[in-house]
Amino acid sequence: MKNFIHIKGLSKHFGDFVAVDKVNLEIGKGELFSILGGSGCGKSTLLRMLAGLEVPTSGSIEIDGTDITRMAPYDRPVNMMFQSYAIFPHMNVARNVGYGLRKDGVGKAEIEKRVDQILELVQLSEYKTRKPDQLSGGQRQRVALARALIKRPKVLLLDEPLAALDKKLRERTQFELMNIQYELGITFIVVTHDQEEAMTLSTRIAVMDKGRFQQVGTPKEVYEFPTNRFVANFIGTINTFEGVVTVVEEDKIQAYCDEAGETLTALGRQLVEVGQTIGVAVRPEKIFVSKERPDNQEDVCIQGVVDDLGYLGNRSLYRIKLGNGRIVQVSSQNRRRSVTRFLEWGDKVWISWTARSAVVLLD
Ligand code: ATP
């Protein structure tokens, strides 16, 4: 994919405080790129610099071959959809959506045509004459989206676009957003603190902490191959065993992990040395739990006791206590329908996983 947005060494300082710290990023045309991070990590500040609402302390931003670092917000080929929808309460849907074009002096017939087109796209044609207070939260969100899209920006910036919607509506709107983005081919940059949202929506995700990108990759890459402890813990749940490397082979390593009371094997993509302290991490759904010791030779097999369990309908969560008191989280798909539970509190069990399921965490 040809890179369309180039961000180089971009920083923003507020006095002594560094909100965004030398960020480098390339985004392809038509990507749906998410910036994911906790509160205060600098994601909105980064987005505001792209929109021209914040002046960078250093670094540069280029979009489609033009350096826009010092360009005024209204001259930029970008538009921003804000956290608060910022739609005018006194205007009906069509007038809200056409607002930007009216301000630019576009002819009436042209405005009408483009408003109709975009309302059809966001499935609001029948709500054209309604006022915002006669709409649901999801519909208002789509009005804001239509208003941001009508001027056909090259890049649309979305700050927590779905935060005000309840869970079900948010899930549905996520798919609508993806469809609209796909149809228009506009590059979307979404800021969110919601990891599930970022995983569902994005072509790629940047995980941000303290003004820096910790990892940039596809949803699968950041989930399956987190490069450090922050990313591993921020996205989903993971069991990390601290250990010391004892054997290094071409594609895998062994580490003695006191917390597991065992030597654990993991596929190592990174360079490690014997004696180095690392974390060996495994996601709860990669662990198999059974009452009998599994006879297929899993690479890791440890005995424990069910300390706690939760039934979530489609799956069950277990907290398994090892002999040394360490708790391991296991998530197991409920494939069979049954009124009796497969495991109970206090059951003696085996947990097992393959080396392929474990990742090495260096820092
Ligand atoms: P949230 O999800 O809570 O909105 P965020 O990741 O978007 O968080 P930012 O709004 O980018 O965070 O803020 C990053 C940091 O910069 C915060 O610690 C914030 O207090 C600080 N900050 C933002 N704007 C200013 C400002 N104008 N003056 C001083 N500090 C600021």
Side-chain angles (χ1 to χ4, degrees), residues 284-332:
E285 73 278 8
K286 305 279 196 283
I287 303 178
F288 180 68
V289 59
S290 54
K291 281 190 189 165
E292 308 293 329
R293 189 187 171 110
D295 43 17
N296 56 337
Q297 284 294 308
E298 298 278 28
D299 296 294
V300 178
C301 195
I302 314 174
Q303 217 169 2
V305 171
V306 178
D307 191 59
D308 206 353
L309 54 87
Y311 173 74
L312 300 182
N314 59 344
R315 65 202 166 103
S316 294
L317 297 180
Y318 301 103
R319 285 164 61 82
I320 309 296
K321 196 183 221 171
L322 307 185
N324 60 7
R326 161 75 200 241
I327 297 285
V328 179
Q329 302 201 55
V330 180
S331 159
S332 167

Side-chain angles (χ1 to χ4, degrees), residues 232-296:
N233 287 303
F234 192 79
I235 307 219
T237 308
I238 202 156
N239 298 290
T240 305
F241 303 94
E242 300 303 325
V244 177
V245 178
T246 50
V247 177
V248 179
E249 288 171 35
E250 200 179 317
D251 59 344
K252 63 183 175 192
I253 61 113
Q254 288 180 24
Y256 180 72
C257 301
D258 209 19
E259 289 177 289
E262 292 250 350
T263 293
L264 302 183
T265 309
L267 294 192
R269 305 216 301 181
Q270 303 100 328
L271 287 175
V272 292
E273 290 172 2
V274 171
Q276 194 174 336
T277 307
I278 58 158
V280 177
V282 58
R283 300 265 183 211
E285 73 278 8
K286 305 279 196 283
I287 303 178
F288 180 68
V289 59
S290 54
K291 281 190 189 165
E292 308 293 329
R293 189 187 171 110
D295 43 17
N296 56 337

